[in-house]
Amino acid sequence: MSITPILASLDSLEKLHVSLLRLANDKTVLIKVGDMMGLDQMLKDEQAHLAAIVQMDTRRQLAVSQYLTDQGQTVPAKPTVADLLGAVPEVDKKSLKEARDRLLHAIHDLKWQNDLNQKLTYQSLQFVNLSLDMTRPRSRTINYTKPEINGKRVTEDERTFDSQA
């Protein structure tokens, strides 16, 4: 068996991650603008991409398992490209490393963009909470102070604690 199916699955994974990165960039714009309907649709699109990535990664794992089995190697529970590098001939290692590095670069860029989106979302939430706090009436703080400080004296009729009870 050749590593062609593995390289094809790595290329497909890279394309899916780059497409997801484009969605993450678009999401940044939607967050900045505050387009909630657009964000809702964007989340649905991201879910579809994630499902496709999971499916493609399962295919990659199966292809790596099949290759390692054909080579007489032990197959780990979740085979990775690093597991594969020790079993492939030197001719195929370069193309396999390049495909892996391109995928890792796309994943790194996606992670950075998602971190940015998370920070922007958190800041937006802080702004909303601040706006709500400013519009809500403040409740009176209840604490123990001397009545003379507040300018009123407690009389017998105003006491709320009945010691005779």
Side-chain angles (χ1 to χ4, degrees):
M1 178 182 183
S2 70
I3 64 164
T4 306
I6 299 167
L7 289 174
S9 65
L10 287 174
D11 287 339
S12 296
L13 279 170
E14 178 193 2
K15 288 176 185 173
L16 286 169
H17 278 86
V18 168
S19 178
L20 192 59
L21 177 61
R22 274 190 234 111
L23 288 177
N25 288 330
D26 293 344
K27 186 196 283 186
T28 303
V29 173
L30 293 174
I31 291 171
K32 287 179 181 178
V33 173
D35 183 6
M36 296 308 292
M37 298 298 286
L39 279 172
D40 188 44
Q41 182 60 42
M42 185 68 61
L43 291 175
K44 291 175 185 174
D45 294 344
E46 284 181 343
Q47 290 298 323
H49 273 73
L50 290 175
I53 287 172
V54 168
Q55 185 179 19
M56 186 54 64
D57 191 54
T58 302
R59 288 183 192 164
R60 180 205 51 85
Q61 286 181 6
L62 289 173
V64 170
S65 295
Q66 183 64 41
Y67 185 86
L68 289 175
T69 302
D70 291 349
Q71 298 298 318
Q73 302 282 331
T74 58
V75 180
K78 289 192 175 194
T80 63
V81 175
D83 297 330
L84 186 64
L85 284 173
V88 297
E90 288 297 321
V91 177
D92 295 331
K93 278 188 182 182
K94 182 180 179 188
S95 59
L96 191 61
K97 284 181 181 179
E98 287 174 356
R100 179 194 64 182
D101 290 343
R102 285 192 313 267
L103 177 60
L104 288 176
H105 181 70
I107 291 171
H108 173 62
D109 290 346
L110 180 61
K111 183 181 180 320
W112 185 86
Q113 191 65 39
N114 281 336
D115 287 343
L116 175 65
N117 287 344
Q118 182 180 7
K119 289 174 185 172
L120 288 173
T121 304
Y122 182 72
Q123 286 177 352
S124 296
L125 184 61
Q126 283 182 322
F127 178 74
V128 168
N129 284 333
L130 177 68
S131 299
L132 285 174
D133 285 344
M134 291 175 69
T135 58
R136 272 188 256 158
R138 294 194 180 254
S139 61
R140 281 186 35 212
T141 57
I142 301 174
N143 56 6
Y144 297 105
T145 61
K146 294 182 181 179
E148 292 82 21
I149 293 174
N150 293 333
K152 89 183 206 189
R153 294 191 169 189
V154 177
T155 62
E156 287 286 326
D157 296 336
E158 292 180 341
R159 292 198 179 149
T160 56
F161 179 72
D162 188 7
S163 62
Q164 304 266 331

